[in-house]
Amino acid sequence: MFIKALLALGVACAGVSAQDGEWPFDVTTLTAPDGSVTAKFVSLGATLTELWVKDRDGNPRDVVLGYDDNSKLLTDPNHPSFNPIIGRYANRIKNGTFSIPITKDAQPDGPNVYHIPTNGQPNALHGGKLGWDRRNWTVIDKSPTHVSYLHFDPADEGFPGNVTTIATHTVRKGGILESKLWANATEKTPIMTTQHVYWNLDAFQDNSSDILSHHLQVAANKVIEVDSNQVPTGGFINVTGTPLDFTQEQPINVKWNDTFDLCGPGCQGYDNCWIFTNATDRGARTSLWSDASGIRVDISSNQPATQVYTSYSLNIPRKAVHGGPDVNYTKWSAVAIEQQGYMDAINTPEWNVDQIHEPGKDFFWEVKYEFSTV
């Protein structure tokens, strides 16, 4: 099954071995055959560090946040997950605790209960203190238009079982970036991944310092209801008539004064998990664009949900290309749009959402970003 996964991801089976000379912060540059997209990656976290696409005037702009010194992806304690693959379990795990089989509010000393280090108090966030975004992946295959990384997770951070995963990033003509990931496990374990890309489609040009005027559309009529600790209650909120309604395109700040506390106590903006209305739709279900640059990205995925985070907590020096380092990325500088499964479904059995994987039941995740101009 896993060999089939390698072939599906475009990795030659004979080539599954480490490339010589690859280090955590060695940069791999991919360029689409028509020059429409240039993407740069490092092995730490299989992380996207730069993404150059053309604005309406044909000028390239780097539309993702990050560091000039990529070693800070590992060493900066305030690293906000700039564009890596997130795992083994993305988003929050309530109290860093879950059980297999899953139960509601697993007891700390119950049978088959697992504990993940909490790093988003009181929860585990994005796989624990040392999730996949802070692990060195191995380059196993690459060309001018794609790179494939392998990561072996030996029951890190308290998760049960070992997981082997391969991620492939590919650029294509027509302004397309695709990312795919396949994982298998040695025993029953939760797996739920995402790619945590921070977007600013103006790239801090045109006197722009935030994404509040970016247009957003999400093909979802409900979001997951959360408590004061930003974990699911088990219920859903119908977005109709609320500031969460992006079923038709709206500027992100269209109901900005109504977003206080939506992303947590004292927080203004969004950090919410939208559930797509049509779970079988493989077309673009999330779109973002800017009137200033004219850059638009349409995002499609095989996942049933997307987390939208308007970066309330950012306070990191900008890349030089974004006007740094003497100027910081601050709150609302970017919007993260994370294609993923239902948040903390492993603690919400009433949803009947199965995120437990085991031998013979592999995990597959994919996303496509398609760029155009408006």
Side-chain angles (χ1 to χ4, degrees), residues 23 37 63 84 113 140 166 169 177 248 264 305 341 369:
W23 297 95
V37 177
V63 295
V113 173
I140 56 173
I166 291 174
H169 305 298
L177 168 65
Q248 302 297 319
Y369 308 103

Side-chain angles (χ1 to χ4, degrees), residues 245-301:
D245 190 352
F246 289 94
T247 51
Q248 302 297 319
E249 69 83 13
Q250 302 277 4
I252 287 175
N253 65 352
V254 68
K255 295 183 179 179
W256 198 243
N257 289 337
D258 298 327
T259 64
F260 284 101
D261 298 329
L262 270 183
C263 50
C267 175
Q268 184 178 13
Y270 297 98
D271 191 6
N272 303 89
C273 187
W274 275 257
I275 305 300
F276 294 124
T277 303
N278 183 354
T280 62
D281 181 11
R282 291 297 178 264
R285 291 183 288 180
T286 310
S287 298
L288 182 74
W289 66 95
S290 167
D291 291 331
S293 67
I295 296 172
R296 174 180 176 128
V297 59
D298 293 294
I299 306 172
S300 54
S301 173

Side-chain angles (χ1 to χ4, degrees), residues 138-153:
T138 300
V139 174
I140 56 173
D141 190 57
K142 66 179 178 179
S143 75
T145 59
H146 86 276
V147 61
S148 294
Y149 295 98
L150 180 145
H151 176 57
F152 177 68
D153 175 351

Side-chain angles (χ1 to χ4, degrees), residues 293-345:
S293 67
I295 296 172
R296 174 180 176 128
V297 59
D298 293 294
I299 306 172
S300 54
S301 173
N302 69 335
Q303 297 299 293
T306 188
Q307 185 86 9
V308 176
Y309 170 52
T310 49
S311 62
Y312 180 79
S313 300
L314 272 185
N315 191 22
I316 301 284
R318 293 186 196 175
K319 299 178 190 176
V321 72
H322 290 159
D326 294 332
V327 179
N328 280 12
Y329 299 123
T330 55
K331 63 183 179 181
W332 316 321
S333 288
V335 56
I337 302 175
E338 310 155 46
Q339 311 307 301
Q340 59 182 46
Y342 284 54
M343 174 174 58
D344 200 31

